[in-house]
Amino acid sequence: MLMINIVFVMFLLGLLLGFVGAGGSGFIISILTVAFGYPIHVALGTALAAMFFSSLSGSISHYREGNAMLKTGLIVGLAGAAGAWISSGWSSYIPEDRLGMLTSFMLFASGLALWLRLILVSRRPAGSEIQTVILGEGLRYWVYALLIGVVTGMLSGLFGIGSTPFIQLGLMLLLNMPMRYAAGTTMLVIIPIALAGGAGYMRIGYLDLQLLLLVVIGTMSGSYVGAKFTKRVPAIWLKVSMVVTPMIGASILWM
């Protein structure tokens, strides 16, 4: 019965995540810990590993549509994987109550970062092209790309969050990447981060493979359905939902 309940709740959560276009690892962590009583370390490892599957399908779609920059995605993603692998081991040294509080704080910060991203997008001219001055082969490009990857990867590995808004902000602000490419490239970046972070949690015994399967089945099926509503509601509803969703997850963790 527990397994059925988890799949059903994850399906409902997937509807919301598919609608707002988010990975939702923070929300998954909140539900697994508060509603089903899983230790937060296990919830973190499971949520992070689950992102691999959702990001894989999303990145393939973006790449086919020409929205993902492969080179930048690989550089940032591999740097992020290193950061996630290292920081995933640090979480075992943080007490559960303190880790829950820190993860909640990061979810609130994610909501604020999403709000900032929306402001940046609204101020950029439509159809702006990639600024090749920053996206070139110079030292500045490599430093910024590696910095974005390591920092966001460490955030993901330590707190189990996807760091999607932080990655997108880094690509847009430091590499001057237009939103269209930042969104698609971010999906590519998350793949190695989620894989390395999940493997890191498995290494220290905090990845429940059966729970991971239930979460993936529920969220991916729900996301498929939820994505169909994205273009069928007013844009303001979607923007508000994108910002509020991680904050709701943070509020649940405080319960």
Side-chain angles (χ1 to χ4, degrees):
M1 190 63 181
L2 176 62
M3 296 172 61
I4 296 176
N5 288 338
I6 292 176
V7 172
F8 178 70
V9 172
M10 288 298 131
F11 174 80
L12 296 179
L13 178 57
L15 290 175
L16 174 62
L17 300 179
F19 169 63
V20 300
S25 58
F27 217 135
I28 293 173
I29 294 168
S30 303
I31 297 298
L32 291 180
T33 53
V34 176
F36 295 105
Y38 282 94
I40 190 167
H41 292 91
V42 174
L44 260 63
T46 303
L48 188 56
M51 282 197 309
F52 170 80
F53 298 94
S54 59
S55 299
L56 180 61
S57 60
S59 63
I60 292 175
S61 177
H62 276 292
Y63 183 73
R64 287 178 175 176
E65 294 294 327
N67 297 332
M69 301 188 66
L70 185 59
K71 174 186 172 181
T72 301
L74 289 176
I75 295 172
V76 178
L78 291 176
W85 172 264
I86 294 172
S87 64
S88 61
W90 296 348
S91 67
S92 61
Y93 300 105
I94 304 177
E96 287 196 8
D97 56 342
R98 184 166 298 179
L99 184 58
M101 180 181 64
L102 292 173
T103 301
S104 177
F105 172 78
M106 288 305 304
L107 288 175
F108 272 113
S110 295
L112 294 176
L114 278 167
W115 175 70
L116 177 59
R117 187 197 70 173
L118 292 174
I119 293 177
L120 288 174
V121 171
S122 65
R123 292 181 177 178
R124 287 196 172 189
S128 58
E129 298 297 327
I130 302 175
Q131 298 185 30
T132 55
V133 174
I134 303 301
L135 294 178
E137 299 290 339
L139 177 62
R140 188 178 181 184
Y141 164 78
W142 282 92
V143 170
Y144 282 162
L146 293 175
L147 180 64
I148 295 169
V150 171
V151 172
T152 56
M154 294 183 75
L155 289 176
S156 294
L158 186 58
F159 301 111
I161 62 175
S163 294
T164 297
F166 301 111
I167 297 172
Q168 291 183 355
L169 284 175
L171 295 177
M172 293 170 64
L173 295 177
L174 297 181
L175 298 183
N176 289 337
M177 189 178 290
M179 182 58 208
R180 169 191 166 191
Y181 294 96
T185 304
T186 295
M187 297 294 288
L188 184 62
V189 169
I190 291 176
I191 293 176
I193 289 179
L195 185 61
Y201 276 96
M202 177 180 284
R203 176 192 59 179
I204 58 178
Y206 287 133
L207 181 60
D208 188 324
L209 293 179
Q210 183 183 57
L211 178 61
L212 173 61
L213 178 61
L214 299 177
V215 170
V216 169
I217 291 174
T219 54
M220 291 194 72
S221 56
S223 296
Y224 179 80
V225 178
K228 297 182 180 298
F229 294 93
T230 302
K231 294 183 178 180
R232 293 175 168 81
V233 300
I236 186 62
W237 291 14
L238 180 59
K239 292 179 180 180
V240 171
S241 298
M242 290 173 63
V243 174
V244 171
T245 294
M247 294 185 173
I248 295 176
S251 301
I252 294 175
L253 271 178
W254 280 97
M255 293 181 179

